[in-house]
Amino acid sequence: MDAEVLEIRQHMGRFPPFEALDDELLDEVAGQVEVGYFQAGSDILQFDQELHELCYIRSGAVEVRRRTGDLYNRLGEGDIFGHFSLLRNNRVRFPARALEDTLIYFIPEDIFVRLCEADEHFSDFVELERPRLEAAVEQHKKANDMMITRVRKLLTRYPVMVEASATVQEAARQITEAQASSALILDEPGDDHDPRHTFTDSQDRPWRLRGILTDSDFRTRIVAEGLPPDTPVGELTGGRLITIQSDESVHEAMLCMLRNNIHHLPVLYRRRPMGIVHLSDIIRYETHSSLYLVSNIFHQSSVEGLARLAPDVRVAFVRMVEEGANSQMVGTALSTIGRSFVRRLLELGEASLGPPPVAYCFMVNGSMARNEQTVVTDQDNALILADDFDSARHDDYFASLAKFVSDGLAACGYTYCKGEVMATNPRWRQPLKVWKRYFSEWIDSPTPERLLHCSIFFDLDSAFGEEAYIEQLQDLIADKAPRSPRFLAAVARNALNRTPPLGFFRTFVMEKDGKHNNSINLKRRGTAPLVDLIRVHALACGSRAQNSFERLDDIAATQLLAPGVDAKLRHAMELLSMVRIRHQVIDLQQEHEPDNNIEPENVADSERHHLKDAFQVLSRAQKFLKYRYPIPGPSGRDR
């Protein structure tokens, strides 16, 4: 068997439904494969085209659509398509297009038929098209499995490890011999080493995990830069190394890749490297297409290209919900997608305007900072500039950059903030020292306007730039807020401005605003006041968490609430969020513009009952709030 056929066999043998084939059948398949290359954006299969081959994705990504143009699926390495056409009339039902440069193995129809006849597992895989409900239940189970399956389950080999003194040629040889796509770089620990990345080998020799070298690095940092083959690999490592512990979940590994836009993730067990998870490993567990979408965002070279992806955000949102994702999974994925738009727009803006004159951090606020976004959202952002910022010399640049990003986000579906809480507003485009003064004044001397600012800006995260600026502001809040009883009393009362829609005998109180008459705004009357309430307790306990569920974890570790109350708040938050999310999905499926309103008569009896329970939990928690944080008297005593 020649080397090319052997490589095809080894690759296909790793993925279903080929992984269960016996050696003779797998050899036969590999020997008959034809290889095709498709550039990003090119058609692979067109609707009603005659088809006589099964398509197997060797590398790249493929988008499959219905004849109407609606997105049906996105596929990655090891996936197959075209089998439904072969099983019917050899006509393409679902046209396919390459999302990125893609290599396809074409398996002849006669081999496909032979596999169906000879292998029951193969025939079941390609022939069974399960009823929608059964498929949805299975996908929900799979989504839950992502939350509990340990990432170590994805590891199939130990990582390639090379010393920092080795040359790039030696590293390339070791990677090639191991048939890997990356290697970990090691050296002896120094005085400034990170203890989290230090371990001892089987001979008790200490090592520091210094970095990672990937196939992409060889192309972009070695070959493209014309570096000689004797360059030490240690010269190519630097910056923060992203790793994950082996007992973390597959879901957390997926989110880690999303947040950091990486394709290789080293897995550690008690600081010892156990393997490297690749994007393709995650794709087989990832059912929501968010990884594809984020990757596609960073491949766009214009605002127009980014704007064309806006419908895909809604498609991914609907698919996540239909497949059983909970509110945390939906919120985290959509917030990560939103940050990716921001980051890519900033990269494009810098490419157009030139490098920034001083360092900066692009701050996001509100639901994006909390990882709680849905498809109904607007912009809340600001710019934190280095303290050597000079308005006369530098502000024209940052005003232009802010406008470029804000207009770009609007084109991508993130509407302008009606309150102008955006970096385009000069008030929210300030040096770090000014932001520190803002935050200190808001805490020390709260007024109605300043309390409104706290409800927006005290949910904060970095989307791009100097993350340390955000950390300093988070530290300031965590240090000052718990020691400021007057401020806590003020934010507690401010959190009572929006109440749940419950009347006497727990009946619903409807909105009466014309357009949404006789409906309930689940954000204004449900999730938003609950977020506000949780934020108050988080400020009181010095939590640095931004996500509401993570804040509840910090609150539960204190004695701020009676035992069990945090769990009730958590359940109420999840239920209200999911009812809101599901109704937005219904709006999209009915081709209506999604909003936050529901009509109780359109809600099932059981769900109405659960809604009332959740609103009752919120109502009781709000009544407790003003007693927990009383207004201090003139002498400092409560009154």
Side-chain angles (χ1 to χ4, degrees):
M1 183 178 294
D2 63 41
E4 183 180 2
V5 174
L6 180 61
E7 194 278 333
I8 292 173
R9 183 190 190 283
Q10 289 175 335
H11 192 277
M12 297 183 72
R14 292 165 43 205
F15 297 94
F18 304 98
E19 90 282 19
L21 295 179
D22 63 39
D23 290 343
E24 182 180 349
L25 283 174
L26 193 55
D27 289 343
E28 184 175 358
V29 173
Q32 296 294 319
V33 159
E34 296 286 338
V35 181
Y37 172 77
F38 298 85
Q39 289 186 327
S42 62
D43 290 332
I44 301 173
L45 299 179
Q46 296 181 334
F47 177 71
D48 206 37
Q49 166 189 335
E50 188 170 347
L51 182 67
H52 294 283
E53 298 91 11
L54 176 67
C55 304
Y56 173 97
I57 303 174
R58 171 59 178 84
S59 62
V62 174
E63 187 177 68
V64 181
R65 292 189 175 270
R66 302 181 190 277
R67 71 175 73 181
T68 60
D70 294 333
L71 182 66
Y72 175 71
N73 206 350
R74 283 201 176 103
L75 306 173
E77 180 184 9
D79 287 329
I80 61 172
F81 59 100
H83 46 293
F84 291 141
S85 301
L86 296 180
L87 291 167
R88 288 169 174 81
N89 58 0
N90 294 99
R91 293 287 175 179
V92 172
R93 297 175 57 206
F94 301 107
R97 172 173 293 187
L99 276 176
E100 55 189 61
D101 291 351
T102 299
L103 202 64
I104 300 292
Y105 291 164
F106 291 100
I107 302 169
E109 184 178 16
D110 59 334
I111 298 296
F112 173 81
V113 172
R114 171 161 161 67
L115 292 176
C116 290
E117 293 173 348
D119 190 274
E120 184 177 357
H121 170 76
F122 185 93
S123 62
D124 285 347
F125 187 94
V126 299
E127 292 176 3
L128 291 181
E129 192 169 7
R130 293 169 296 174
R132 182 186 179 94
L133 178 59
E134 182 183 344
V137 171
E138 182 63 27
Q139 292 289 0
H140 179 74
K141 180 174 183 278
K142 186 175 183 180
N144 287 339
D145 283 346
M146 288 177 63
M147 300 290 286
I148 60 175
T149 301
R150 305 305 179 193
V151 70
R152 61 174 176 263
K153 294 282 189 179
L154 302 185
L155 301 178
T156 58
R157 69 176 86 187
Y158 282 102
V160 176
M161 294 186 282
V162 299
E163 294 189 35
S165 59
T167 67
V168 294
Q169 185 175 37
E170 292 170 349
R173 179 180 53 76
Q174 290 189 43
I175 292 173
T176 302
E177 289 176 352
Q179 296 183 344
S181 61
S182 60
L184 297 178
I185 310 304
L186 311 178
D187 66 4
E188 295 182 355
D191 295 335
D192 60 344
H193 70 277
D194 185 345
R196 294 173 301 176
H197 293 154
T198 303
F199 66 98
T200 57
D201 60 20
S202 57
Q203 283 78 41
D204 290 329
R205 183 180 176 185
W207 291 102
R208 175 178 67 142
L209 183 55
R210 181 165 171 172
I212 185 170
L213 194 66
T214 70
D215 282 347
S216 176
D217 293 324
F218 278 101
R219 294 192 302 272
T220 61
R221 300 174 63 189
I222 299 173
V223 177
E225 296 294 330
L227 296 181
D230 60 352
T231 302
V233 292
E235 294 183 6
L236 301 174
T237 60
R240 186 165 64 102
L241 178 64
I242 307 299
T243 63
I244 195 169
Q245 292 297 314
S246 62
D247 60 351
E248 292 283 3
S249 68
V250 171
H251 178 67
E252 182 58 35
M254 179 193 74
L255 296 182
C256 185
M257 284 188 167
L258 280 170
R259 285 192 294 263
N260 295 286
N261 190 34
I262 57 177
H263 288 184
H264 295 80
L265 184 61
V267 179
L268 310 182
Y269 173 68
R270 295 182 178 177
R271 299 182 292 184
R272 183 188 296 271
M274 299 300 294
I276 300 173
V277 172
H278 186 264
L279 175 65
S280 60
D281 301 317
I282 301 294
I283 287 174
R284 277 175 281 168
Y285 281 83
E286 205 281 316
T287 60
H288 306 150
S289 297
S290 44
L291 276 172
Y292 289 113
L293 182 51
V294 168
S295 177
N296 213 0
I297 288 171
F298 286 103
H299 279 90
Q300 301 306 308
S301 58
S302 67
V303 174
E304 292 75 19
L306 290 170
R308 285 194 290 269
L309 298 180
D312 289 358
V313 178
R314 294 188 169 191
V315 170
F317 171 74
V318 171
R319 189 176 179 193
M320 277 189 279
V321 178
E322 286 186 330
E323 291 175 351
N326 62 29
S327 72
Q328 295 178 68
M329 296 171 71
V330 173
T332 299
L334 289 188
S335 299
T336 299
I337 291 168
R339 286 192 194 89
S340 299
F341 276 116
V342 170
R343 179 176 172 183
R344 186 57 182 152
L345 285 166
L346 286 162
E347 291 172 346
L348 294 175
E350 287 189 11
S352 174
L353 298 171
V358 297
Y360 72 93
C361 174
F362 196 92
M363 172 169 64
V364 293
N365 305 98
S367 60
M368 187 181 291
R370 296 194 309 273
N371 284 330
E372 295 170 13
Q373 276 203 315
T374 70
V375 290
V376 181
T377 188
D378 62 357
Q379 300 181 38
D380 289 311
N381 54 61
L383 271 170
I384 309 173
L385 307 168
D387 283 338
D388 57 351
F389 168 79
D390 183 327
S391 179
R393 291 189 296 135
H394 303 148
D395 195 51
D396 284 348
Y397 176 93
F398 286 109
S400 298
L401 182 65
K403 185 177 188 306
F404 181 87
V405 173
S406 186
D407 291 347
L409 286 173
C412 296
Y414 300 83
T415 59
Y416 297 109
C417 175
K418 295 179 180 178
E420 296 189 356
V421 181
M422 297 178 291
T424 50
N425 186 336
R427 187 178 185 185
W428 311 128
R429 193 171 63 246
Q430 296 291 336
L432 177 60
K433 60 187 176 185
V434 174
W435 282 103
K436 289 181 177 179
R437 190 184 77 230
Y438 283 169
F439 280 27
S440 295
E441 289 174 350
W442 298 348
I443 294 173
D444 293 338
S445 303
T447 65
E449 182 185 20
R450 288 173 173 175
L451 290 171
L452 176 61
H453 297 332
C454 292
S455 68
I456 299 170
F457 288 102
F458 281 12
D459 299 337
L460 67 162
D461 195 15
S462 168
F464 189 81
E466 300 292 330
E467 295 182 15
Y469 295 172
I470 289 289
E471 293 171 358
Q472 290 183 50
L473 294 178
Q474 291 173 341
D475 289 344
L476 185 152
I477 297 169
D479 179 62
K480 289 183 68 73
R483 298 185 290 108
S484 305
R486 187 174 298 277
F487 168 71
L488 292 175
V491 292
R493 276 148 186 77
N494 193 62
L496 302 177
N497 289 335
R498 294 181 287 196
T499 57
L502 285 179
F504 291 109
F505 307 111
R506 296 179 70 200
T507 56
F508 290 123
V509 177
M510 305 297 181
E511 307 286 347
K512 300 293 181 183
D513 62 358
K515 180 180 179 181
H516 296 293
N517 205 29
N518 294 322
S519 67
I520 298 172
N521 188 305
L522 274 181
K523 177 180 178 182
R524 183 164 62 234
R525 306 298 295 275
T527 57
L530 193 47
V531 165
D532 290 341
L533 182 145
I534 293 170
R535 185 189 302 110
V536 174
H537 293 306
L539 290 168
C541 73
S543 170
R544 288 172 171 78
Q546 304 302 309
N547 176 262
S548 294
F549 292 98
E550 293 176 3
R551 285 172 167 171
L552 283 170
D553 290 337
D554 290 344
I555 295 165
T558 70
Q559 296 182 343
L560 287 173
L561 301 177
V565 173
D566 62 288
K568 292 180 180 179
L569 292 173
R570 186 184 302 275
H571 295 151
M573 184 70 179
E574 177 64 20
L575 185 129
L576 292 172
S577 298
M578 284 309 303
V579 172
R580 176 187 172 206
I581 286 169
R582 283 197 294 268
H583 279 265
Q584 290 176 357
V585 168
I586 292 172
D587 285 338
L588 289 171
Q589 291 173 330
Q590 296 178 347
E591 299 185 354
H592 299 154
E593 190 62 24
D595 56 36
N596 295 308
N597 290 73
I598 64 166
E599 294 76 31
E601 66 268 20
N602 296 331
V603 178
D605 289 342
S606 59
E607 192 163 82
R608 281 204 302 270
H609 178 78
H610 295 322
L611 277 173
K612 290 177 181 179
D613 288 342
F615 287 137
Q616 191 69 24
V617 168
L618 173 57
S619 179
R620 290 170 180 164
Q622 285 186 329
K623 291 175 182 177
F624 172 76
L625 202 61
K626 60 183 177 181
Y627 296 109
R628 185 63 184 79
Y629 305 104
I631 300 174
S635 63
R637 299 177 60 186
D638 298 345
R639 65 176 183 179

